[in-house]
Amino acid sequence: MEKGKNKSKGQIEPTKSELEILQVLWQHGPNTVRFVNDRLNEDKREVQYASTLKLMQLMAEKGLLLRDESQVKHIYSSASEEHKTKNLLLDRFVDSLFNGSVSSLMLHLLDNKKTSQKELDELRTLLNNSKKNKS
């Protein structure tokens, strides 16, 4: 299996650095390398422009980004919707750490984190709606 590729869906799983770039584009929309690099430097850590440029070029080659070359400054956008990429990564996480068991994941989360009453109420609503949708 090709590194970074999900065999069952044919989608490419982004690395941590690639995910940081995707998050900037999901939050701010299609943009230039300079814009993405500036946001990374604001939010994350010191990142060189040349490194961001090279990584975004590689991401375009891999099919993670689309590149609009119709202007002098190339505009990059995500090739996949945010929720699709997050679903892919979440499925992989649940499969590898919890043997595919969503209930094990939820129980582990609830046991490990302080959960507010509001969050518990929201979870109950989600569970109730999930039951209704499956009936």
Side-chain angles (χ1 to χ4, degrees):
M1 181 164 72
E2 183 181 323
K3 185 179 180 189
K5 200 160 197 172
N6 182 302
K7 190 175 181 180
S8 63
K9 298 187 183 191
Q11 286 182 287
I12 297 170
E13 293 179 25
T15 65
K16 183 178 177 183
S17 295
E18 291 169 342
L19 195 53
E20 288 176 348
I21 289 170
L22 287 169
Q23 288 174 325
V24 170
L25 294 172
W26 289 330
Q27 183 178 3
H28 298 283
N31 243 300
T32 63
V33 174
R34 172 63 61 205
F35 180 88
V36 171
N37 190 75
D38 289 347
R39 294 301 82 69
L40 292 174
N41 283 318
E42 282 177 6
D43 300 335
K44 307 292 180 192
R45 60 191 188 290
E46 187 66 28
V47 182
Q48 296 297 316
Y49 174 85
S51 298
T52 303
L53 172 62
K54 184 64 177 169
L55 184 53
M56 289 177 73
Q57 289 171 335
L58 290 171
M59 290 173 72
E61 289 174 20
K62 288 169 56 175
L64 288 168
L65 295 181
L66 303 173
R67 179 175 45 221
D68 178 359
E69 299 176 1
S70 64
Q71 302 174 33
V72 174
K73 292 182 180 181
H74 296 176
I75 302 295
Y76 288 83
S77 60
S78 174
S80 180
E81 295 173 20
E82 181 177 7
H83 78 277
K84 286 183 180 180
T85 300
K86 286 182 176 181
N87 285 346
L88 171 72
L89 294 172
L90 185 58
D91 287 347
R92 179 167 164 74
F93 178 78
V94 172
D95 287 346
S96 62
L97 269 84
F98 297 94
N99 294 320
S101 173
V102 173
S103 61
S104 292
L105 167 66
M106 293 303 297
L107 292 170
H108 190 82
L109 282 171
L110 292 171
D111 190 43
N112 257 0
K113 298 284 183 184
K114 290 182 180 178
T115 308
S116 71
Q117 187 59 49
K118 181 182 178 202
E119 290 172 319
L120 289 172
D121 292 342
E122 289 173 357
L123 286 170
R124 277 189 196 90
T125 300
L126 283 171
L127 289 171
N128 289 336
N129 289 340
S130 178
K131 276 186 192 177
K132 289 175 188 175
N133 291 336
K134 296 195 180 199
S135 306

